[in-house]
């Protein structure tokens, strides 16, 4: 009989299972796919990445970089798999989705303390459990969580960007470069499609007027973007056509910003640039950065082929949108990822209100460690708020109802320095935050060995 049940074989569930298993805990890991799909996933491997293949910045003075550094120090399985499956992405960590998911699946399925059960869990067990079912939790389990919490679920919309075949991109216009890497012409990690002002304005016009997939009663909420009653919508997940609708310059200052790049047709700075990021290790597939969309398939083909260099591009996967559900963690959870009402129940991953792949992995790691410690008779660990993971867990468990929405790693959730240790300047402050996080994690690191 298992010591611990984990519901969900995504990023958080797999990391939680690994952390508990390496501490001698017998784990039953329930994953309903491929028998019951979510509508966003496509395969049966564990830890399948859906929306993007990027895990964010690898730089040590960026928030995502700090969180990844913490995970590596805490012996994260999924960070190891991500590093091994890395594809070129400039200063970011991006992975080959299939290689990453396959390596996680092999590691989990081969661990002697983990049993993977391909079955939907329809209720919350009364034994030690981690719910890591993600934002696409099945209806039956979602209802069980709602009964447990007494709260209506919150939700936001998430969207997937299209993936293109590189051999159909026009390299007479599109060129390789990373931002500011002017000495590496033709060798950059991104493919760039420059746009003139006229090309950009035509693209925006067509994007705004293009036909979208009907979301019925949720379409109005989506266009509001932020709030509808107590429901919150995560701004970073809005589709590109909604961003364009807000302001004609929103894309030029957002996902199409041209800083650090030129228009090779003129030799001058481009008015806007569409960037493509490598999606698989073979380098045959690239996704369009920031092009999450809810356009119909025919409109994606028509509108996105207006981008210079993509006129004859072939799509390997089209973008789509889905509704994501998360719980009201401030009422339900402690910063240890432990339920306030049921000490043997833990939550982790995007269902808790953390956003981003690395945040999902991180909360899975903490939930796995703390569930194991609880089973073994030790107190769960609460990380210092000065660490990035500690700050993230503190935020999602202490935010007010008016402010609570999905949160990703950022320096704004860290405690400020006291008056005697103030640091001024954006980059010096980021470096100081990162150094303090590294030092303070060291004080509790023994709990993760």
């Amino acid at each position: 009989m298992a010591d611990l049940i984990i519901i969900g074989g995504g990023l958080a569930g797999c990391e939680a299972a690994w952390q508990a298993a390496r501490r001698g805990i017998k784990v039953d890991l329930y994953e309903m796919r491929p028998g019951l799909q979510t509508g966003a996933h496509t395969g049966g491997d564990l830890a399948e990445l859906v929306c993007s293949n990027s895990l964010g910045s690898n730089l040590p003075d960026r928030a995502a970089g700090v969180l990844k550094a913490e995970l590596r120090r805490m012996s994260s399985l999924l960070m190891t798999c991500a590093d091994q499956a890395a594809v070129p992405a400039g200063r970011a960590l991006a992975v080959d989705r299939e290689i990453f998911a396959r390596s996680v699946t092999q590691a989990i399925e081969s661990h002697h303390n983990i049993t993977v059960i391909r079955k939907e869990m329809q209720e919350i067990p009364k034994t030690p459990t981690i719910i890591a079912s993600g934002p696409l939790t099945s209806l039956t389990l979602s209802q069980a969580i709602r009964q447990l919490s007494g709260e209506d679920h919150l939700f936001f919309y998430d969207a997937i960007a299209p993936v293109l075949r590189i051999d159909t991109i026009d390299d007479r216009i599109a060129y390789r470069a990373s931002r500011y890497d002017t000495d590496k012409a033709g060798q950059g990690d991104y493919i760039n499609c420059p746009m003139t002002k006229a090309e950009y304005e035509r693209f925006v016009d067509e994007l705004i007027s293009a036909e979208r997939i009907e979301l019925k009663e949720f379409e109005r909420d989506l266009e509001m973007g932020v709030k509808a009653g107590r429901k919150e919508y995560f701004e970073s997940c809005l589709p590109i056509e909604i961003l364009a609708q807000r302001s004609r310059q929103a894309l030029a200052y957002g996902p199409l910003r041209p800083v650090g790049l030129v228009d090779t047709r003129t030799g001058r700075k481009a008015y806007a640039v569409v960037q493509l990021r490598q999606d698989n290790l073979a380098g045959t597939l690239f996704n369009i950065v920031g092009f999450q969309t809810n356009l119909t398939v025919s409109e994606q083909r028509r509108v996105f082929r207006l981008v210079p260099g993509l006129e004859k591009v072939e799509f390997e996967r089209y973008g789509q949108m889905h509704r994501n559900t998360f719980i009201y963690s401030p009422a339900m959870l402690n910063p240890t990822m432990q339920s306030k009402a049921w000490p043997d129940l833990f939550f982790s991953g995007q269902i808790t209100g953390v956003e981003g792949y690395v945040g999902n992995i991180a909360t899975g790691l903490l939930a796995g460690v703390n569930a194991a410690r609880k089973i073994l008779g030790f107190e769960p660990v609460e990380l210092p708020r000065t660490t990035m993971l500690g700050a993230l867990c503190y935020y999602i468990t202490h935010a007010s109802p008016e402010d609570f929405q999905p949160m990703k790693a950022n320096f704004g959730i860290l405690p400020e320095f006291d008056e005697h240790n103030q640091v001024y300047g954006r980059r010096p402050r980021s470096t100081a935050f990162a150094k303090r996080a590294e030092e303070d994690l060291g004080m509790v690191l023994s709990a993760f060995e």
Side-chain angles (χ1 to χ4, degrees):
M1 182 177 176
D3 303 312
L4 174 66
I5 291 173
I6 298 179
I7 306 173
L11 301 177
C14 287
E15 186 66 56
W18 182 263
Q19 294 300 328
R22 67 189 287 260
R23 288 163 172 79
I25 303 300
K26 295 291 185 182
V27 176
D28 278 352
L29 175 62
Y30 282 80
E31 171 53 55
M32 67 183 185
R33 295 181 301 110
L36 181 61
Q37 288 288 11
T38 64
H41 294 83
T42 59
D45 277 339
L46 304 174
E48 180 184 336
L49 303 183
V50 174
C51 299
S52 169
N53 71 325
S54 176
L55 278 72
S57 177
N58 244 340
L59 295 176
D61 62 347
R62 302 295 196 272
V66 173
L67 185 55
K68 283 196 278 290
E70 292 176 358
L71 285 172
R72 291 179 179 119
R73 291 183 71 191
M74 292 186 284
S75 302
S76 164
L77 167 69
L78 272 71
M79 281 308 305
T80 299
C81 293
D83 288 334
Q84 293 172 347
V87 297
R91 298 167 181 175
L93 173 61
V95 300
D96 181 304
R97 300 172 199 255
E98 292 185 5
I99 292 176
F100 171 74
R102 193 181 311 130
S103 64
V104 174
T105 302
Q106 290 172 349
I108 293 296
E109 290 183 340
S110 63
H111 199 292
H112 65 279
N113 279 337
I114 302 175
T115 300
V116 178
I117 301 173
R118 298 286 185 164
K119 180 181 177 182
E120 179 191 6
M121 176 63 76
Q122 298 185 335
E123 59 184 10
I124 300 173
K126 299 190 182 341
T127 56
T129 299
I130 298 174
I131 297 178
S133 50
L136 300 173
T137 299
S138 69
L139 178 61
T140 49
L141 181 59
S142 183
Q143 290 172 339
I145 295 171
R146 184 178 292 110
Q147 290 175 357
L148 172 74
S149 66
E151 294 271 350
D152 286 337
H153 283 49
L154 305 174
F155 63 88
F156 66 96
Y157 291 95
D158 203 353
I160 298 172
V163 174
L164 313 176
R165 285 175 44 196
I166 188 175
D167 59 355
T168 63
I169 298 170
D170 187 351
D171 58 12
R172 294 171 300 177
I173 299 174
Y175 67 96
R176 282 186 175 272
S178 298
R179 296 187 192 276
Y180 303 111
D181 289 344
T182 54
D183 59 329
K184 297 181 181 179
Q187 301 298 318
D189 293 337
Y190 290 81
I191 293 176
N192 302 279
C193 300
M195 305 178 87
T196 64
K197 182 178 181 181
E199 289 167 339
Y200 172 83
E201 291 184 344
R202 181 191 177 201
F203 175 75
V204 170
D205 286 338
E206 295 300 323
L207 185 62
I208 291 172
S209 62
E211 182 182 1
R212 305 170 191 173
I213 297 172
E214 187 179 2
L215 292 177
K216 299 189 171 119
E217 68 269 25
F218 306 124
E219 179 71 20
R220 184 176 301 174
D221 290 341
L222 176 64
E223 292 187 359
M224 287 175 62
V226 187
K227 293 185 179 180
R230 286 198 58 206
K231 302 290 187 286
E232 301 282 343
Y233 299 84
F234 187 48
E235 287 284 305
S236 297
C237 292
L238 292 176
I240 189 169
E241 59 270 16
I242 298 297
L243 293 176
Q245 187 173 294
R246 290 179 168 183
S247 163
R248 294 193 62 82
Q249 294 303 309
L251 302 185
Y253 285 93
L256 274 65
R257 64 190 183 281
V259 293
L261 297 166
V262 300
D263 188 334
T264 52
R265 298 171 295 180
T266 64
R268 297 189 297 271
K269 180 182 176 182
Y271 187 83
V273 176
V274 174
Q275 286 200 301
L276 313 178
R277 181 175 54 235
Q278 189 170 329
D279 203 78
N280 66 342
L281 196 60
T284 58
L285 302 177
F286 276 67
N287 64 71
I288 316 180
V289 177
F291 269 50
Q292 300 93 331
T293 185
N294 191 44
L295 298 186
T296 64
V297 166
S298 61
E299 290 288 71
Q300 288 182 51
R301 285 196 298 263
R302 181 182 70 84
V303 176
F304 296 161
R305 283 174 176 165
L306 295 174
V307 175
L310 304 185
E311 292 90 345
K312 297 182 179 180
V313 77
E314 295 296 331
F315 292 77
E316 183 71 17
R317 185 193 72 185
Y318 291 98
Q320 64 172 305
M321 171 156 280
H322 51 271
R323 171 173 151 157
N324 282 356
T325 298
F326 60 103
I327 63 174
Y328 182 53
S329 291
M332 292 184 64
L333 301 182
N334 292 313
T336 58
M337 297 291 96
Q338 190 175 24
S339 166
K340 292 180 178 180
W342 305 92
D344 283 340
L345 178 62
F346 295 77
F347 284 80
S348 68
Q350 201 166 340
I351 196 172
T352 67
V354 296
E355 177 59 25
Y357 292 146
V358 183
N360 295 339
I361 295 169
T363 54
L365 185 148
L366 186 60
V369 169
N370 279 338
R373 289 177 65 87
K374 176 74 168 53
I375 292 168
L376 295 171
F378 301 106
E379 284 295 315
V381 179
E382 182 172 338
L383 289 169
R385 285 184 60 196
T386 48
T387 65
M388 190 57 69
L389 179 52
L392 193 58
C393 293
Y394 186 87
Y395 169 82
I396 63 170
T397 56
H398 286 79
S400 66
E402 295 77 18
D403 298 329
F404 188 54
Q405 66 171 323
M407 180 62 65
K408 64 170 59 179
N410 67 89
F411 288 122
I413 61 175
L414 293 173
E416 285 292 338
F417 297 103
D418 63 44
E419 60 182 16
H420 302 295
N421 296 289
Q422 285 294 326
V423 180
Y424 299 96
R426 181 181 177 188
R427 286 292 160 241
R429 278 173 57 81
S430 298
T431 300
F433 277 135
K435 182 179 179 182
R436 183 180 67 177
E438 180 182 8
E439 292 173 350
D440 290 358
L441 180 62
M443 297 187 297
V444 297
L445 198 60
S446 60
F448 297 88
E449 294 175 351

